[in-house]
Amino acid sequence: MAHSILVIEDEPTLSRLLSYNLAQEKYVVKVVDHGGEGLQEALRHPYDLIILDIMLPGMNGFEVLTKLRQKECRTPVIILTARNAEEEVVQGLKSGADDYITKPFGVAELLARVAAVLRRTGPEDSRQEAAEEGSDRVIVAGELKIYPERYEVKLNGESIPLRPKEFEVLLYLVQRPGVVVTRDDLMNIVWGFDYIGGQRTVDVHVSSLRKKLEMNQQSVQIDAIRGVGYKLIAKGSRS
């Protein structure tokens, strides 16, 4: 059964980004753009996870979180905080948040944190089953094995060193084999929708990634689509 996630976020671009990418991962998503309404929604319906922005109209995220815990709502919460706002992180965790992520963020990082919180806070029998089966999901692409939770890639059984952003680019591409992904998509997903750097950042990371993948294997390649973006071609992909 799909996990349900409540997103309480009033910035339209960010809420659409979250909703779309969470839905792509098969989560059932509800978005509310007002603090008070978000509180009522969280108390009215059971959710598996809440993603909660701090700056909200009507009632800020700290107030929402405090009231949820006062009313004995144990739904795990990931708070969204501003960059370099350590005091927000500390206050959020003291108020009962289970994790946090700072803006701007890449969607790959957010999805990893969502999966981790859901694993940690799920029913005991589900956690035990995951432990018995092995919690690491593996994506096989040709001669590569990709471990999303560990940020690890193995080529013919040997680990290959990837920087975090290189890994996130590879993960996004390998989950869409044969699909052309634009530079803008990669920028938004990996670096965050409000990242101020240019598309050259994407090209540099993809170029480095391609060189590392080309070593001793021909089953996976990343093709550059002139003027558009990149496409991963893989033989024998599965997850």
Side-chain angles (χ1 to χ4, degrees):
M1 184 176 180
H3 289 292
S4 59
I5 298 177
L6 173 63
V7 176
I8 309 177
E9 167 60 62
D10 69 316
E11 206 290 310
T13 301
L14 180 54
S15 63
R16 286 196 297 269
L17 181 74
L18 292 170
S19 180
Y20 172 79
N21 286 281
L22 290 168
Q24 288 291 103
E25 296 296 308
K26 310 303 181 185
Y27 296 117
V28 177
V29 185
K30 169 77 173 180
V31 177
V32 178
D33 62 2
H34 186 278
E37 294 175 5
L39 173 63
Q40 294 305 312
E41 176 67 22
L43 294 173
R44 189 179 304 119
H45 301 291
Y47 287 90
D48 296 304
L49 177 68
I50 298 170
I51 298 176
L52 175 65
D53 195 13
I54 295 301
M55 302 302 294
L56 292 167
M59 181 183 297
N60 68 43
F62 295 128
E63 294 174 303
V64 172
L65 182 55
T66 298
K67 290 183 181 297
L68 284 173
R69 298 313 187 219
Q70 287 175 344
K71 294 182 179 296
E72 299 186 352
C73 174
R74 298 292 97 194
T75 304
V77 174
I78 296 176
I79 57 172
L80 305 179
T81 72
R83 187 193 311 206
N84 299 325
E86 182 180 358
E87 67 280 1
E88 288 187 355
V89 173
V90 172
Q91 184 176 347
L93 294 175
K94 285 184 176 180
S95 298
D98 296 85
D99 202 353
Y100 68 93
I101 189 167
T102 56
K103 304 176 188 176
F105 55 83
V107 173
E109 178 187 358
L110 177 78
L111 293 176
R113 289 183 179 270
V114 166
V117 170
L118 288 171
R119 284 198 306 273
R120 291 200 309 265
T121 59
E124 181 63 32
D125 56 347
S126 296
R127 295 200 299 271
Q128 180 64 31
E129 181 180 349
E132 291 173 354
E133 294 180 354
S135 60
D136 283 345
R137 181 165 61 99
V138 181
I139 299 173
V140 177
E143 297 167 21
L144 296 173
K145 287 188 176 180
I146 302 165
Y147 301 84
E149 284 75 20
R150 284 195 263 152
Y151 272 53
E152 183 177 358
V153 176
K154 290 186 176 182
L155 173 59
N156 293 323
E158 298 290 331
S159 293
I160 59 174
L162 296 183
R163 291 177 291 177
K165 295 305 183 187
E166 291 174 349
F167 179 89
E168 291 170 11
V169 168
L170 175 61
L171 181 61
Y172 191 72
L173 291 173
V174 83
Q175 291 174 322
R176 296 156 181 81
V179 176
V180 178
V181 177
T182 69
R183 290 178 174 83
D184 283 340
D185 283 343
L186 285 172
M187 183 74 72
N188 290 337
I189 296 300
V190 176
W191 281 267
F193 77 100
D194 53 356
Y195 177 71
I196 60 175
Q199 291 184 348
R200 178 62 179 163
T201 300
V202 176
D203 294 337
V204 168
H205 280 76
V206 172
S207 177
S208 175
L209 176 61
R210 292 171 77 182
K211 291 178 182 178
K212 293 176 181 179
L213 293 181
E214 287 170 0
M215 298 184 302
N216 302 318
Q217 68 91 30
Q218 293 79 39
S219 61
V220 178
Q221 64 186 55
I222 298 175
D223 293 341
I225 309 302
R226 187 178 179 87
V228 181
Y230 297 95
K231 176 174 64 174
L232 183 139
I233 305 297
K235 300 175 182 178
S237 297
R238 67 179 188 275
S239 62

